[in-house]
């Protein structure tokens, strides 16, 4: 601080003013800008998630799709076909293979993952149809489309 005392009053004022400007520039560059960028990224992420939620709610299956009862009169494969038609994904089934009258394996291509998982939970809870095996291959992460092979037990 000896060098500072040796400066004239005018030079001391100029040095103080410069120090304040440098401190403000450092604060702006190392504190304000990173915080502002982080907040902007969070806002963008929130908006993207809100849009995804709106899209998912728009494509969410209604409860009325699951009203068909698993009756003893109809076969398990007929009941599964009715469920696929109700979900509007019957055209995604590439292969359906009955193992026996209580077991069926389905292959689906480009199926919406969330819809299928919700449906599997629903049939297990309401109709006691168990999922014996489930293989999922992700096709498109953004839209949630995947190839699925599922084995169901009545």
């Amino acid at each position: 601080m000896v060098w500072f005392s040796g400066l004239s009053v005018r030079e001391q004022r100029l040095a103080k003013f410069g120090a304040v400007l440098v401190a403000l520039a450092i604060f702006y560059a190392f504190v304000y800008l990173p915080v502002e960028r982080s907040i902007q990224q969070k806002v963008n992420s929130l908006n993207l998630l809100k849009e995804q939620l709106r899209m998912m709610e728009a494509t969410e299956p209604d409860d009325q799709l699951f009203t068909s009862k698993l009756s003893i009169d109809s076969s398990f494969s007929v009941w599964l076909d009715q469920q696929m038609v109700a979900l509007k994904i019957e055209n995604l089934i590439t292969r359906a293979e009955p193992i026996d009258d209580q077991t069926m394996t389905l292959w689906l291509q480009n199926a919406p993952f969330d819809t299928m998982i919700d449906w599997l939970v629903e049939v297990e809870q309401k109709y006691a149809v168990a999922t014996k095996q489930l293989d999922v291959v992700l096709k498109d992460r953004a839209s949630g489309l995947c190839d699925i092979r599922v084995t169901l037990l009545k």
Side-chain angles (χ1 to χ4, degrees):
M1 291 299 278
V2 175
W3 65 271
F4 188 74
S5 306
L7 297 175
S8 68
V9 174
R10 188 173 181 182
E11 290 173 336
Q12 286 179 358
R13 238 187 285 143
L14 182 62
K16 289 177 185 176
F17 181 73
V20 168
L21 283 180
V22 168
L24 287 175
I26 289 173
F27 176 80
Y28 180 78
F30 293 107
V31 176
Y32 177 78
L33 281 180
V35 169
E36 194 269 334
R37 284 185 194 129
S38 175
I39 291 172
Q40 189 60 41
Q41 286 175 347
K42 301 271 190 275
V43 167
N44 291 343
S45 177
L46 178 64
N47 290 337
L48 179 65
L49 289 172
K50 283 181 180 178
E51 182 62 30
Q52 286 177 348
L53 177 62
R54 275 191 290 262
M55 288 173 45
M56 289 170 58
E57 286 175 341
T59 61
E60 182 176 302
D62 296 331
D63 286 340
Q64 65 187 359
L65 298 177
F66 302 109
T67 57
S68 63
K69 298 293 180 200
L70 182 55
S71 68
I72 298 173
D73 298 336
S74 66
S75 70
F76 187 49
S77 61
V78 169
W79 180 82
L80 281 174
D81 287 340
Q82 292 170 352
Q83 289 292 307
M84 295 300 140
V85 169
L87 285 170
K88 296 180 177 78
I89 59 171
E90 70 277 2
N91 58 339
L92 303 178
I93 299 174
T94 58
R95 183 176 168 195
E97 181 180 307
I99 308 295
D100 55 35
D101 61 335
Q102 301 290 318
T103 310
M104 174 78 88
T105 301
L106 301 172
W107 283 262
L108 296 99
Q109 283 190 328
N110 296 323
F113 178 79
D114 291 335
T115 302
M116 289 305 301
I117 295 302
D118 290 342
W119 177 74
L120 289 172
V121 168
E122 183 82 22
V123 296
E124 183 172 350
Q125 291 174 350
K126 282 191 175 181
Y127 308 111
V129 174
T131 302
K132 180 179 179 183
Q133 180 180 7
L134 178 66
D135 296 322
V136 178
V137 177
L138 183 63
K139 293 295 226 174
D140 184 11
R141 182 178 299 272
S143 63
L145 297 179
C146 56
D147 291 346
I148 297 175
R149 183 179 71 174
V150 60
T151 303
L152 300 170
L153 298 170
K154 180 176 176 183

